[in-house]
């Protein structure tokens, strides 16, 4: 199941801001979550390092273990083989092609969680049609646009200033329109996790 509990608890567990907004700044509390907190820095086994990197990446994209494992071991693996791309790079590209990730990167959503909610509630049209699946993998030429009746909603009155819009999407903030002009570029995907360790984690399983 996908985790639905307090998100700040996840950030404290991993020791980093997983979601990018000041609300999740772990510098507020440096101890691990739990009744007695715990030490901030602990020595990890090699397996522990693999696990923590996997958990960080999975939690950033707010995916269940089953869904995340499928993305890494199936979808990304096939992309790597079919496009002759390094496995770790294929994982990054595949995750960033998710519709909720694209919406978040556009700056129209403040967090990945909000992006997922906007999509599941049917706020956007994909290529002119209703769409409510956050895990949809975008293709070059896809267009996501906010429904006309929601364009004056307070929810969309401010864009996320903390997000740097990547070059592979074109965003029209006045029309609340996002156009995918290319597939995600690895050099623009900055993640606080070693994706090679994530690949190795599932290779060991």
């Amino acid at each position: 199941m996908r985790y639905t509990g307090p998100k700040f608890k996840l950030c404290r567990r991993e020791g980093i801001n997983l979601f990018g907004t000041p609300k999740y700044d772990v510098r507020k509390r440096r101890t691990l979550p739990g009744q007695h907190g715990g030490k901030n820095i602990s020595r990890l086994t090699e397996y522990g390092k693999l696990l923590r990197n996997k958990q960080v990446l999975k939690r950033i994209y707010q995916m269940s273990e089953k869904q995340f494992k499928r993305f890494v071991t199936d979808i990304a693996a096939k992309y790597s083989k079919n496009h002759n791309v390094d496995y770790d790079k294929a994982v990054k590209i595949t995750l960033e092609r998710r519709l909720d990730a694209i919406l978040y990167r556009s700056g129209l959503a403040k967090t990945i969680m909000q992006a997922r909610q906007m999509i599941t509630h049917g706020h956007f049209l994909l290529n002119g049609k209703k769409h409510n699946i956050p895990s949809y993998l975008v293709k070059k030429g896809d267009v996501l646009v906010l429904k006309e009746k929601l364009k004056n909603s307070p929810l969309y009155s401010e864009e996320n200033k903390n997000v740097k819009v990547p070059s592979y999407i074109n965003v029209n903030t006045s029309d609340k329109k996002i156009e995918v002009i290319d597939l995600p570029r690895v050099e623009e995907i900055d993640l606080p996790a070693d994706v090679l360790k994530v690949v190795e984690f599932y290779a060991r399983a």
Side-chain angles (χ1 to χ4, degrees):
M1 292 180 62
R2 183 167 59 87
Y3 178 81
T4 57
K7 302 299 186 294
F8 188 63
K9 183 178 179 180
L10 297 181
C11 297
R12 286 175 57 209
R13 177 64 186 89
E14 304 304 343
I16 58 173
N17 185 337
L18 295 168
F19 309 116
T21 65
K23 178 181 178 180
Y24 300 103
D25 187 351
V26 294
R27 290 174 295 182
K28 297 175 183 176
R29 296 179 67 178
R30 298 299 295 176
T31 57
L32 294 175
Q35 184 178 357
H36 303 293
K39 293 183 178 180
N40 213 16
I41 300 174
S42 59
R43 293 183 179 180
L44 293 173
T45 63
E46 186 57 34
Y47 176 80
K49 293 176 183 177
L50 301 182
L51 176 62
R52 291 268 59 84
N53 276 277
K54 187 267 292 186
Q55 291 293 81
V56 165
L57 202 58
K58 182 183 74 172
R59 286 167 170 172
I60 286 173
Y61 291 93
Q62 285 293 285
M63 298 166 70
S64 68
E65 175 59 30
K66 181 178 179 180
Q67 187 182 31
F68 185 71
K69 182 179 180 180
R70 177 173 172 265
F71 258 75
V72 174
T73 63
D74 184 11
I75 300 174
K78 288 179 180 177
Y79 185 91
S80 174
K81 182 179 180 180
N82 294 339
H83 294 83
N84 195 27
V85 175
D86 291 344
Y87 198 172
D88 61 321
K89 293 180 180 178
V91 171
K92 290 182 178 181
I93 293 169
T94 303
L95 289 170
E96 284 295 311
R97 283 179 63 196
R98 286 175 55 96
L99 192 60
D100 53 0
I102 290 291
L103 180 55
Y104 170 59
R105 299 300 181 198
S106 75
L108 297 184
K110 293 180 180 179
T111 63
I112 194 81
M113 293 84 75
Q114 188 181 56
R116 178 192 298 272
Q117 190 175 51
M118 289 170 172
I119 294 167
T120 56
H121 288 181
H123 289 193
F124 286 83
L125 298 176
L126 178 65
N127 300 326
K129 297 180 180 179
K130 294 179 181 179
H131 191 90
N132 61 357
I133 303 174
S135 60
Y136 168 80
L137 298 182
V138 301
K139 303 182 295 295
K140 185 178 179 180
D142 279 347
V143 175
L144 190 67
V145 62
L146 184 65
K147 288 182 176 178
E148 195 66 36
K149 65 180 180 180
L150 292 171
K151 288 185 178 179
N152 292 323
S153 168
L155 182 62
Y156 297 100
S157 61
E158 295 182 11
E159 58 184 294
N160 186 0
K161 301 294 186 180
N162 296 316
V163 173
K164 181 181 178 181
V165 178
S167 65
Y168 49 85
I169 59 175
N170 184 43
V171 182
N172 185 320
T173 54
S174 58
D175 290 339
K176 310 301 182 201
K177 179 180 177 182
I178 306 163
E179 181 180 2
V180 181
I181 56 179
D182 203 352
L183 292 182
R185 297 180 180 130
V186 175
E187 61 270 19
E188 294 187 63
I189 305 171
D190 186 21
L191 298 170
D194 186 339
V195 181
L196 277 174
K197 291 188 183 300
V198 178
V199 171
E200 186 179 347
F201 174 87
Y202 286 114
R204 284 190 176 193

